[in-house]
Amino acid sequence: MMQRRQMFQLGLGLGLGVNAWARESLVWQERSLLGFGTTLWIKAAHTDAGRLPQALDESVKTIRMVEQHMSLFDPDSALSRLNRLGELRQPDADLVSVMTLASYVSRRSAGAFDVTMQPLWGLWSMHSQSQTLPSPKVVLQTRSLVNWQAMTVSADVVRLHTKGMGVSLNGIAQGYAADKVRAVLQSHGVAHALIDTGETALLGQSPRAQDWRFAIEATVPSAQAAPVLNTHGWAVATSDDAHTVFSKDRVHHHILNPHTGDSPTYWASVSVIAPSCALADALTKVFFMCPPQRIERLAKAWGVGVVLQDKRGNWLNYSPQHRT
């Protein structure tokens, strides 16, 4: 089970300091469930307490539908069938939407994000079980199967054009699920919520009638305090080198550079703040590949905020000057 990567204790309680508006007008309820290999959590408020259970029930169903289409652990999921058969006709609209966004990020990032990384991930995972490292030759051979441009993605068909290719949506599906749940809650009149699917989407304010604020988990021990973020309603996604490792020294981990086949060495943790949680989720991997001197330029190009911790424990925090 993955541990929580963002710390939500700031401004969540309903104790002292909650103003009269928050106490008298809004009713808060929450749901927790297991999904995407972690504990998921939805906390939402409504002026009509009778509408909240239905909104939360539909939110849970939405998460389960995303899992049904995009899970690698379920052999009957749409994604598993795509990887097994190399083709999926009349694919679900959510799967097409996610893969279309993934292709867009891949194109704009020159392939720094690539959902066809699954063969490389499988190679490293297999070797980690025997505590060995794959040879450079085998890594190179496996990299030949990684190519986001060797896919067709349309409303009619999703097709992998090279035998042995495989897709993983682990780097974007959790953020997409958070976006979907946010839309479901809004359709039920919910204006204040925190949706944690492993990545975080937000609505309105916290139970303290304040902006949602988060302390990012420090992956590397540091004398510097971890940044506290006010996201101003934007979504937050985090990737780090600590939770799925392929070597004891954490040099090799689950975040892999599509161009080298190995883990990038600049960062221990990357958090992206963006209007869309799916976009933030994908961009954490793009920023992981980015050297320090290019971070600010890249953040400006995407119009997002980014908080990074390097391998020595130092923090870099860049927030966009203008938000919509």
Side-chain angles (χ1 to χ4, degrees):
M1 186 69 65
M2 294 173 64
Q3 62 185 4
R4 192 164 307 284
R5 295 169 300 177
Q6 296 160 347
M7 302 170 66
F8 301 129
Q9 69 267 37
L10 300 177
L12 294 186
L14 286 168
L16 297 176
V18 182
N19 66 22
W21 169 79
R23 285 198 308 267
E24 296 173 6
S25 299
L26 291 175
V27 176
W28 287 85
Q29 294 180 12
E30 61 185 66
R31 294 282 175 86
S32 62
L33 63 152
L34 297 178
F36 300 113
T38 188
T39 302
L40 316 181
W41 186 41
I42 307 168
K43 188 180 186 74
H46 205 297
T47 54
D48 182 354
R51 295 188 64 182
L52 267 178
Q54 182 181 355
L56 292 169
D57 285 347
E58 190 173 332
S59 296
V60 171
K61 290 180 181 178
T62 297
I63 290 171
R64 294 303 185 211
M65 286 297 294
V66 173
E67 282 191 300
Q68 179 181 333
H69 296 305
M70 305 180 198
S71 172
L72 286 174
F73 300 102
D74 180 359
D76 295 323
S77 74
L79 186 62
S80 293
R81 286 186 283 116
L82 171 66
N83 287 343
R84 186 166 58 248
L85 302 174
E87 182 179 276
L88 197 63
R89 293 190 174 274
Q90 301 304 313
D92 176 80
D94 282 333
L95 185 65
V96 173
S97 180
V98 167
M99 295 189 70
T100 299
L101 175 60
S103 295
Y104 166 74
V105 176
S106 295
R107 183 169 58 254
R108 276 198 60 182
S109 67
F113 176 75
D114 192 326
V115 295
T116 67
M117 290 284 291
Q118 181 59 21
L120 271 175
W121 196 95
L123 173 69
W124 281 98
S125 180
M126 178 184 66
H127 276 270
S128 70
Q129 295 174 15
S130 59
Q131 298 184 348
T132 61
L133 298 178
S135 70
K137 180 180 179 180
V138 173
V139 170
L140 181 62
Q141 290 173 339
T142 307
R143 275 182 54 214
S144 67
L145 299 173
V146 177
N147 182 6
W148 66 273
Q149 293 175 298
M151 291 191 306
T152 295
V153 179
S154 73
D156 297 320
V157 65
V158 177
R159 182 178 296 117
L160 307 178
H161 294 287
T162 302
K163 185 177 180 180
M165 286 181 69
V167 170
S168 170
L169 298 175
N170 290 346
I172 193 171
Q174 288 172 283
Y176 181 79
D179 287 336
K180 291 280 288 186
V181 170
R182 179 168 54 184
V184 166
L185 292 174
Q186 286 179 305
S187 73
H188 286 272
V190 171
H192 306 278
L194 182 149
I195 304 111
D196 171 22
T197 60
E199 316 302 349
T200 308
L202 301 160
L203 284 172
Q205 295 183 317
S206 78
R208 296 184 182 275
Q210 298 172 346
D211 290 343
W212 294 103
R213 298 170 70 238
F214 305 93
I216 299 297
E217 178 186 7
T219 302
V220 179
S222 174
Q224 300 177 12
V228 175
L229 305 181
N230 185 332
T231 68
H232 301 286
W234 279 16
V236 185
T238 298
S239 294
D240 63 48
D241 67 1
H243 293 97
T244 304
V245 298
F246 296 143
S247 61
K248 291 182 179 179
D249 58 9
R250 281 168 45 182
V251 170
H252 310 283
H253 51 84
H254 73 291
I255 300 171
L256 298 168
N257 187 332
H259 302 305
T260 67
D262 203 345
S263 300
T265 58
Y266 304 114
W267 308 108
S269 172
V270 173
S271 296
V272 173
I273 306 97
S276 157
C277 200
L279 178 63
D281 198 1
L283 287 180
T284 60
K285 275 61 87 176
V286 174
F287 279 94
F288 239 102
M289 313 303 160
C290 185
Q293 64 270 21
R294 292 180 51 206
I295 290 294
E296 183 172 348
R297 183 174 62 183
L298 187 63
K300 287 180 178 179
W302 283 97
V304 300
V306 60
V307 179
L308 311 95
Q309 188 181 37
D310 67 21
K311 298 287 189 176
R312 298 183 299 274
N314 301 312
W315 291 94
L316 175 64
N317 187 348
Y318 174 78
S319 298
Q321 294 181 349
H322 303 288
R323 291 185 177 180
T324 57

